[in-house]
């Protein structure tokens, strides 16, 4: 009955109407999460979040006071949470150790990606946490219709949609007995998405070829480009533009000669503070595009049609809406939506 009421609430939200109020969460609560049943006897009191996207969802739900630690950061936290984030222990900028996570004595470890907490968990397997009485939750966006069989970014068999983020918000809100906050957050994100899509309704943007460049291990080597079912692919679909990549991999490595054949009209360049790979720095990316004999001839490069986008907006997170807004502004600024 609880799930039925939640579905009605989401349906009302999608229609832009006020959702009916829901009763308080009834514990014990069972959530089917990424193929695993997780039972909550009460709302968790201490959380460790692994992944910036997951952390920002928890902050957006007003749960910063429950945070015992965070890890895996790509860039600065959303500005409105800078003050609260500064007070929370950062276990690691990248992957934390299993010991550092359990050392915070959390009753919930919430992960953005299965490669951190899952069968191939670089931080730990869910069974390891369960043996210590610690519940785990993984963002549905990283497991629904997605295969994470190795240490890579995985293979997505269906197009990502914001429905998966809305599901994450609704489930976390139910776990913490704050469904009113979850409903309000989903409604806000839906309204922002609708406004961004409406801003590029011009026919000239239809099927505009666009490429999303996250990074590259070597600046002169193949690039991590958004696959056909990724969060950037969803951004493109919502704005009526076209992805130049047709693979199921989330972030396949693609040669620039292959990209040149598609001759993108716009290149979306990821910005980030992380410096794990040679091309993490956006300035390095732009210098390469301008000087390389292949990339310098691309339509996007010759016309300087670059959209600088926070890397987190290219991941399946609440910031995907920021990505829609950012690309919509870029398309409009280039005169491509007229």
């Amino acid at each position: 009955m609880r799930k039925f009421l939640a579905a009605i609430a989401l349906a009302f939200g999608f229609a832009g109407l006020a959702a009916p109020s829901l009763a308080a969460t009834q514990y014990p609560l069972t959530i089917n999460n990424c193929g695993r049943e997780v039972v909550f006897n009460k709302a968790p009191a201490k959380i460790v979040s692994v992944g910036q996207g997951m952390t920002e969802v928890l902050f957006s739900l007003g749960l910063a006071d429950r945070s015992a630690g965070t890890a895996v950061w790509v860039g600065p936290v959303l500005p409105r949470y800078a003050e609260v984030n500064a007070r929370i222990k950062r276990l690691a900028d990248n992957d934390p150790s299993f010991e550092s996570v359990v050392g915070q004595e959390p009753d919930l470890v919430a992960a953005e990606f299965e490669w951190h907490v899952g069968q191939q968990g670089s931080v730990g397997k869910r069974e390891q946490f369960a043996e210590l009485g610690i519940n785990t939750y993984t963002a549905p966006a990283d497991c629904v219709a997605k295969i994470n069989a190795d240490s890579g970014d995985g293979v997505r068999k269906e197009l990502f949609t914001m429905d998966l983020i809305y599901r994450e918000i609704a489930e976390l809100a139910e776990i913490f007995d704050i469904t009113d906050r979850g409903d309000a957050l989903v409604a806000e994100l839906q309204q922002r998405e609708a406004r961004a899509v409406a801003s590029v309704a011009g026919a000239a943007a239809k099927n505009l070829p666009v490429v999303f460049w996250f990074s590259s291990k070597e600046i002169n080597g193949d690039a991590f480009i958004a696959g056909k079912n990724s969060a950037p692919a969803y951004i493109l679909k919502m704005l009526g533009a076209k992805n130049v990549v047709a693979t199921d991999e989330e972030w396949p490595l693609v040669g620039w000669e292959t990209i040149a054949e598609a001759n993108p009209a716009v290149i979306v360049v990821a910005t980030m503070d992380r410096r794990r790979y040679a091309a993490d720095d956006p300035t390095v990316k732009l210098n390469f595009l301008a000087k390389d004999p292949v990339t310098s001839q691309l339509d996007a490069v010759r016309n300087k049609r670059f959209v600088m986008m926070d890397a987190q907006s290219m991941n399946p997170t609440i910031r995907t809406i920021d990505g829609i807004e950012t690309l919509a502004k870029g398309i409009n600024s280039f005169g491509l939506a007229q």
Side-chain angles (χ1 to χ4, degrees), residues 50-53 55-56 70-77 90 92-95 112-113 115-116 214-215 270-276 280-282 285 309-315 317 319:
V50 182
Q52 182 173 349
T55 300
E56 291 181 339
T70 70
V72 186
W73 289 81
V74 177
V77 70
R90 182 170 297 193
D93 288 337
N94 294 306
D95 297 9
E112 182 175 352
F113 301 112
W115 79 61
H116 289 129
F214 197 91
S215 189
T271 65
M272 65 187 84
D273 286 352
R274 189 192 77 176
R275 294 294 182 264
R276 179 181 297 179
D280 283 354
D281 187 337
K285 291 186 181 78
M309 182 180 293
D310 187 284
Q312 273 298 90
S313 298
M314 297 186 183
N315 283 328
T317 70
R319 290 208 199 192

Side-chain angles (χ1 to χ4, degrees), residues 33-213:
N33 175 241
C34 293
R36 185 184 184 94
E37 285 195 345
V38 186
V39 179
F40 296 88
N41 292 316
K42 60 181 180 179
K46 293 178 70 176
I47 321 161
V48 168
S49 51
V50 182
Q52 182 173 349
M54 176 61 72
T55 300
E56 291 181 339
V57 168
L58 293 168
F59 286 176
S60 298
L61 287 169
L63 294 169
D65 61 334
R66 309 275 182 111
S67 180
T70 70
V72 186
W73 289 81
V74 177
V77 70
L78 286 167
R80 58 187 176 275
Y81 302 123
E83 186 175 344
V84 296
N85 184 60
R87 298 196 297 265
I88 296 171
K89 185 174 184 178
R90 182 170 297 193
L91 306 182
D93 288 337
N94 294 306
D95 297 9
S97 67
F98 179 77
E99 291 75 16
S100 70
V101 173
V102 300
Q104 308 311 308
E105 300 182 345
D107 44 10
L108 175 64
V109 174
E112 182 175 352
F113 301 112
E114 273 196 318
W115 79 61
H116 289 129
V117 179
Q119 290 303 310
Q120 309 294 329
S122 63
V123 177
K125 295 183 178 181
R126 300 185 77 167
E127 292 80 5
Q128 289 178 275
F129 289 106
E131 288 172 0
L132 298 176
I134 301 172
N135 270 336
T136 53
Y137 178 88
T138 303
D142 201 53
C143 61
V144 175
K146 186 169 183 279
I147 301 170
N148 300 305
D150 54 35
S151 59
D153 293 308
V155 175
R156 196 175 290 278
K157 306 305 291 184
E158 296 176 3
L159 179 67
F160 161 83
T161 75
M162 282 299 295
D163 288 353
L164 293 173
I165 303 301
Y166 300 148
R167 172 177 169 181
E168 175 185 346
I169 292 169
E171 289 179 342
L172 287 169
E174 186 175 17
I175 289 168
F176 286 93
D177 193 17
I178 50 169
T179 54
D180 55 338
R181 299 185 203 172
D183 294 342
L185 179 57
V186 169
E188 176 193 347
L189 293 170
Q190 290 170 338
Q191 290 168 5
R192 287 175 53 199
E193 181 175 10
R195 286 195 298 267
V197 170
S199 74
V200 291
K206 186 173 179 61
N207 292 323
L208 187 76
V210 180
V211 65
F212 279 73
W213 182 15

Side-chain angles (χ1 to χ4, degrees), residues 239-255:
L239 297 179
K242 180 179 69 174
N243 195 353
V244 302
V245 175
T247 177
D248 288 343
E249 291 179 67
E250 187 87 332
W251 288 99
L253 281 168
V254 183

